[in-house]
Amino acid sequence: MGSKRPRQVLITGCSVGVKGPQVFARRWQAETAATTSQHQEEKVTVTIDANLLQCCVCSGPLTTPLFQCTKGHISCSDCCTDGALDDESECLMCREPETATRCRAIERFLAGMSVPCLFRQHGCTEMIPYRDTQSHEASCRYAPSHCPIPGCAGYAGKSLADHIRVGHPTVHHTSVRPDCVTPLRMHASEQARVLWLSSCCAKFLLVAGRDVPSGRSLSIVGLMDEQFQDEFKYRIEVVGKDGVLTLSGQANGVERLARPYQASAFLFVPNAIWDSYPEDIPVFVHLK
């Protein structure tokens, strides 16, 4: 076989003397447009050092608008001065009157870039547009979550309700009638108790924390699921020899905890009361 020759188009006949070149031109334009569109849709996979996508000033992820000074420093939108509205800014890295201008080339690069989720090792398989990485990581269901039960190292890929069910199968469950006082006999070493309303199957976690000096902190966490649709009120009572300790509040549903658990309100039970019972501590719960 010979070498490949360029494509030739032969137009014959008097009747196509005028229209022939126009038809050829239209076909050529259509083929060119189709080829260009195909090239525009093509994607390539590259590997890049994540440090190269950090702001020179704050070392955070680059977010538009981006500015680059004459010395090459690139800063993100959070590190731009008020001049950003005029497409000019002062370089905060140089700390000198170095003029920085919009770096639109990097902006276009970032706009077309997708990255794997930071929590892919926990099961997330999504490819995230770079500009949406922070918002995705804040709501990703595979993000590492914290458990309110003392001593738990945390989990990923589940809701808090599923984690309690799977990760803490030995936690006792107690059925609670709505708008009724339910007595609990909690063991001195017990760290949590699951409470579920018999009327709607909504579940709550009664946490006996040891995060306070010289005592225990009793708090309520609503385990968010399809049954937890309303806001519930609660009251916790602990009976001591010298009186009754009481805490009332509102139990809001929690799907997962992105930060270590800190109760917004808790009932402080001194060790003098908690340890005064040889076996079980009389705790009363009222949910409605």
Side-chain angles (χ1 to χ4, degrees):
M1 297 178 62
S3 59
K4 188 175 182 181
R5 295 180 178 179
R7 180 182 178 187
Q8 296 180 352
V9 179
L10 179 62
I11 303 174
T12 61
C14 297
S15 61
V16 295
V18 177
K19 296 183 179 179
Q22 295 177 353
V23 173
F24 171 74
R26 286 197 296 268
R27 288 180 179 175
W28 181 82
Q29 291 175 356
E31 292 177 359
T32 302
T35 303
T36 303
S37 177
Q38 180 181 1
H39 285 304
Q40 289 176 347
E41 293 177 357
E42 289 180 355
K43 296 182 179 180
V44 295
T45 301
V46 298
T47 301
I48 186 172
D49 187 350
N51 293 328
L52 299 178
L53 302 177
Q54 292 180 349
C55 172
C56 292
V57 179
C58 67
S59 297
L62 290 173
T63 55
T64 57
L66 301 178
F67 285 81
Q68 183 178 13
C69 74
T70 56
K71 292 184 179 179
H73 300 133
I74 297 179
S75 58
C76 65
S77 58
D78 292 336
C79 297
C80 294
T81 60
D82 295 337
L85 298 177
D86 301 325
D87 279 2
E88 290 187 0
S89 180
E90 179 184 354
C91 180
L92 300 181
M93 193 71 177
C94 296
R95 296 295 180 180
E96 296 177 2
E98 292 284 343
T99 301
T101 57
R102 286 285 291 273
C103 188
R104 299 188 183 275
I106 300 298
E107 289 182 2
R108 289 193 296 269
F109 174 76
L110 295 180
M113 186 174 66
S114 296
V115 297
C117 176
L118 179 65
F119 310 117
R120 59 188 180 277
Q121 69 272 20
H122 298 305
C124 185
T125 59
E126 293 191 42
M127 291 295 292
I128 315 300
Y130 182 80
R131 63 179 180 274
D132 300 332
T133 52
Q134 289 182 313
S135 60
H136 171 81
E137 291 167 5
S139 60
C140 180
R141 62 185 299 266
Y142 293 97
S145 301
H146 297 268
C147 177
I149 297 180
C152 181
Y155 63 96
K158 307 182 189 71
S159 66
L160 178 58
D162 290 339
H163 168 70
I164 297 298
R165 177 176 54 84
V166 177
H168 299 278
T170 59
V171 172
H172 295 296
H173 290 63
T174 300
S175 175
V176 177
R177 296 179 59 186
D179 209 12
C180 294
V181 177
T182 302
L184 308 177
R185 307 294 297 186
M186 296 190 69
H187 193 270
S189 61
E190 192 171 354
Q191 297 179 320
R193 176 78 63 93
V194 174
L195 312 173
W196 57 279
L197 284 176
S198 57
S199 60
C200 63
C201 296
K203 293 184 178 181
F204 306 83
L205 187 68
L206 175 62
V207 181
R210 300 184 179 183
D211 53 341
V212 292
S214 304
R216 299 289 194 277
S217 60
L218 295 182
S219 59
I220 290 284
V221 180
L223 300 179
M224 179 73 77
D225 57 16
E226 63 276 3
Q227 303 294 338
F228 202 105
Q229 300 177 356
D230 300 318
E231 296 178 346
F232 297 88
K233 294 182 179 180
Y234 69 87
R235 187 174 73 251
I236 307 173
E237 295 180 353
V238 175
V239 178
K241 295 181 180 180
D242 298 326
V244 179
L245 302 176
T246 304
L247 173 68
S248 298
Q250 182 172 291
N252 297 320
V254 174
E255 184 175 4
R256 56 174 45 87
L257 294 170
R259 297 179 179 84
Y261 175 65
Q262 289 185 341
S264 57
F266 61 86
L267 177 64
F268 173 69
V269 183
N271 287 333
I273 296 178
W274 191 268
D275 298 334
S276 62
Y277 294 91
E279 295 182 357
D280 298 333
I281 295 90
V283 179
F284 298 87
V285 176
H286 179 262
L287 288 168
K288 64 176 181 178

